[in-house]
């Protein structure tokens, strides 16, 4: 395929994609199948370096069906019929909303997709006919399944990822790093199929093989921090197995303990600190000495600014979700959404990195640097950002405007098309 009239690093040109790679860049490339970019910027496909796919997919397909959000039958019908695809899960239903609803009520009033609604008590599920079709065992005729959690689990061990994957493709995302600590072999087998066509990097438990996962995810919190020796031993054994570690570090204590353990174990190239939400001068110094990669979430400072201003002590505001100070020190830096805890839209996150909320402006970075956080290689968040050059993998994202225009407001950008391995996987028809 040929992409004509695209802007690459400030220059209007054509590119040819062959065998999953960029084979040619230049003016007037001849060929039959072509895509007119109309002068839009063609950039490397974005990579979300920190996401929880199953949880994000489940959250996307879940609606509140009871008080205080939903209090009447018409409200319930409205929330059930909001746009979406795949399984829909409702939670918190209470009979004050629309009485003892059942299968036929859902068939008549709900959407044309499998629906299951959980009663507020947690004991009762109400299913529509499409949902019952998916059950591996007999369900009551009226669709009201009491104490049927095991039956429900048989259909919902892994949520349908398609709606989430489609949404990510529409942002120009071509790859994700799935970082859920409980990821084991079953999750790996599911993700390599269900996350397609996204390029997938997976982290998880120690039992995963090197082929399945390059990083062991360490996930400790202030309330259950292990002794230093224990954490150090865990890091050493991961390294001995040829794996890196990626450690969840939100608080100061989590970060300092983890850095001490990495220091004692000996840092390996590729070891990652996830979040580094609070980092003072001493922590930054230590991270640069160890050469660890920081994977941050530029979206949180915008999403949670009001709560931070209220709850975080004044003297720590400058240490929150740093970007510029990390970059100025030459720390290896990449970004991810942490969806479902953060908004999965990387354009909103990049905009937040450039224009941080009031009180946190000092850590703002340039639009070019913000983009680089999302264009690091899928398997190495610490490497330089990818570029659109001959020989590179054709994981690409086409914008509706030039990069100079995009920089004026990154959250206004619309992605026109996305390619993975040279395949057109998203195309906004306009
Ligand atoms: Zn996370």
């Amino acid at each position: 395929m040929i992409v004509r009239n695209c802007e690459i690093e400030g220059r209007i040109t054509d590119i040819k994609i062959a065998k999953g790679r960029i084979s040619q860049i230049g003016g007037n490339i001849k060929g039959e199948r072509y895509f007119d970019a109309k002068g839009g910027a063609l950039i490397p496909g974005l990579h979300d370096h920190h996401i929880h796919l199953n949880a994000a997919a489940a959250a996307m397909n879940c609606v509140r069906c009871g008080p205080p959000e939903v209090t009447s039958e018409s409200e319930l019908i409205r929330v059930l019929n909001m746009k979406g695809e795949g399984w829909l899960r409702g939670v918190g239903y209470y009979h004050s909303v629309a009485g003892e609803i059942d299968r036929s009520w859902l068939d008549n009033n709900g959407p044309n997709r499998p629906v299951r609604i959980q009663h507020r008590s947690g004991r009762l599920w109400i299913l529509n006919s499409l949902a019952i079709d998916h059950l591996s065992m007999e369900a009551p005729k009226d669709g009201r399944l009491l104490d049927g959690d095991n039956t429900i689990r048989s259909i919902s061990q892994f949520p349908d990822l398609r709606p989430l994957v489609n949404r990510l493709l529409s942002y120009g995302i071509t790859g994700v790093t799935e970082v859920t600590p409980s990821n084991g072999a079953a999750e790996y087998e599911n993700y390599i199929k269900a996350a397609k066509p996204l390029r997938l990097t997976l982290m998880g438990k120690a039992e995963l093989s090197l082929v399945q996962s390059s990083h062991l995810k360490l996930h400790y919190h202030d309330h259950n921090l292990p002794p230093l020796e224990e954490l150090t031993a865990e890091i050493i054994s991961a390294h001995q197995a040829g794996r890196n570690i990626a450690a969840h570090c939100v608080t100061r204590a989590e970060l300092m303990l983890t850095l001490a353990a990495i220091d004692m174990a000996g840092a390996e190239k590729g070891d990652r600190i996830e979040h580094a939400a609070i980092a003072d001068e001493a922590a930054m110094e230590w991270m640069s000495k160890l050469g660890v990669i920081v994977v941050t979430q530029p979206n949180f400072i915008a999403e949670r600014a009001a709560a931070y201003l209220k709850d975080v002590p004044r003297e720590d505001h400058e240490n929150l979700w740093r970007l510029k100070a990390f970059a100025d020190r030459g720390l290896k830096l990449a970004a991810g959404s942490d969806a479902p805890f953060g908004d999965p839209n990387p354009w909103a996150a990049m905009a937040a990195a450039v224009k941080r909320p009031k009180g946190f402006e000092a850590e703002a970075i340039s639009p070019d640097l913000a983009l680089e956080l999302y264009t690091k290689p899928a398997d190495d968040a610490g490497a330089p950002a990818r570029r659109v050059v001959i020989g590179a993998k054709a994981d690409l994202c086409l914008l509706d405007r030039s990069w100079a225009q995009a920089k004026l407001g990154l959250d206004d950008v619309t992605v026109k098309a996305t390619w993975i391995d040279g395949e057109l996987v998203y195309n906004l028809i306009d």
Side-chain angles (χ1 to χ4, degrees):
M1 175 181 263
I2 289 156
V3 183
R4 282 203 181 133
N5 194 20
C6 54
E7 184 209 55
I8 298 174
E9 299 182 1
R11 198 163 57 96
I12 296 287
T13 186
D14 300 345
I15 71 155
K16 186 173 180 182
I17 299 170
K19 294 183 184 147
R21 291 189 182 266
I22 298 168
S23 63
Q24 216 180 325
I25 300 182
N28 289 316
I29 300 175
K30 299 272 178 292
E32 286 183 351
R33 281 177 62 226
Y34 74 91
F35 191 102
D36 185 1
K38 298 179 180 159
L42 187 69
I43 61 173
L46 308 183
H47 191 92
D48 187 327
H49 289 277
H50 185 120
I51 192 168
H52 305 272
L53 291 172
N54 281 341
M60 251 179 85
N61 288 324
C62 182
V63 289
R64 294 278 318 163
C65 292
E69 292 88 348
V70 171
T71 54
S72 68
E73 186 168 17
S74 58
E75 262 293 285
L76 179 62
I77 293 172
R78 191 185 67 78
V79 297
L80 290 177
N81 288 286
M82 285 191 300
K83 212 168 157 275
E85 52 177 314
W87 272 94
L88 177 69
R89 182 167 59 105
V91 292
Y93 182 74
Y94 195 59
H95 60 75
S96 66
V97 175
E100 304 298 340
I101 59 170
D102 59 9
R103 171 187 193 160
S104 70
W105 186 93
L106 276 177
D107 286 349
N108 292 328
N109 297 291
N112 186 28
R113 55 199 279 213
V115 180
R116 64 181 196 279
I117 291 181
Q118 191 178 35
H119 189 267
R120 191 165 87 176
S121 66
R123 289 187 57 200
L124 173 72
W125 284 95
I126 307 141
L127 304 120
N128 71 354
S129 294
L130 285 171
I132 289 170
D133 289 347
H134 282 81
L135 285 187
S136 51
M137 60 186 274
E138 199 94 335
K141 284 234 161 358
D142 64 359
R144 289 168 63 87
L145 185 64
L146 200 60
D147 289 330
D149 266 0
N150 286 334
T151 316
I152 291 292
R153 214 165 285 134
S154 73
I155 54 166
S156 62
Q157 188 190 5
F158 297 122
D160 181 5
L161 290 190
R162 268 173 311 157
L164 174 67
V165 170
N166 288 342
R167 189 195 283 196
L168 298 179
L169 296 175
S170 79
Y171 296 143
I173 289 178
T174 54
V176 293
T177 300
E178 161 49 63
V179 298
T180 308
S182 57
N183 283 339
E187 284 75 13
Y188 171 79
E189 290 302 328
N190 175 59
Y191 280 135
I192 53 168
K193 289 195 262 344
K196 273 185 180 159
L198 292 171
R199 203 172 285 285
L200 176 74
T201 303
L202 188 102
M203 295 181 178
K205 293 199 258 191
E207 70 184 46
L208 286 165
S209 72
L210 251 182
V211 176
Q212 293 165 324
S213 164
S214 56
H215 284 73
L216 169 72
K217 181 74 186 287
L218 299 171
H219 196 250
Y220 297 108
H221 294 105
D222 272 359
H223 62 86
N224 69 353
L225 289 178
L228 177 60
E229 299 68 33
E230 204 177 301
L231 189 57
T232 306
E234 205 171 357
I235 295 171
I236 290 173
S237 71
H239 286 166
Q240 280 171 348
R243 295 174 82 195
N244 281 117
I245 58 103
H248 165 102
C249 297
V250 170
T251 67
R252 180 176 270 115
E254 288 162 12
L255 180 59
M256 294 317 253
L257 175 74
T258 302
L259 294 178
I262 294 175
D263 209 347
M264 280 179 67
E268 289 282 347
K269 184 173 174 287
D271 286 341
R272 290 174 40 158
I273 299 294
E274 309 297 307
H275 315 303
I278 290 193
D280 56 21
E281 290 294 329
M284 287 194 285
E285 176 91 40
W286 207 351
M287 288 193 288
S288 36
K289 192 185 120 220
L290 293 173
V292 290
I293 303 162
V294 175
V295 176
T296 183
Q297 285 73 47
N299 43 312
F300 280 148
I301 200 78
E303 290 165 14
R304 302 176 179 177
Y308 290 146
L309 285 170
K310 199 159 91 15
D311 303 336
V312 176
R314 182 74 192 80
E315 62 273 20
D316 255 341
H317 287 186
E318 62 176 12
N319 299 326
L320 269 176
W321 297 107
R322 287 182 184 268
L323 291 169
K324 184 172 185 298
F326 286 164
D328 287 350
R329 277 179 185 266
L331 274 172
K332 295 174 204 160
L333 196 57
S337 64
D338 203 13
F341 310 105
D343 182 339
N345 182 349
W347 296 96
M350 285 186 261
V354 173
K355 195 173 184 304
R356 305 216 340 159
K358 205 169 171 330
F360 305 102
E361 300 96 328
E363 289 292 328
I365 53 173
S366 71
D368 291 277
L369 199 48
L371 177 64
E372 282 186 22
L373 303 183
Y374 291 87
T375 51
K376 302 289 170 90
D379 55 359
D380 187 359
R386 290 171 288 125
R387 291 178 57 206
V388 180
V389 290
I390 293 173
K393 278 193 187 112
D395 290 0
L396 299 163
C397 163
L398 175 69
L399 311 188
D400 66 339
R401 60 197 76 192
S402 68
W403 181 242
Q405 284 173 309
K407 285 202 274 194
L408 301 176
L410 290 171
D411 44 356
D412 292 333
V413 165
T414 299
V415 169
K416 298 283 290 288
T418 307
W419 288 263
I420 298 177
D421 262 336
E423 293 295 323
L424 185 64
V425 291
Y426 172 76
N427 183 6
L428 179 73
I429 311 292
D430 56 3

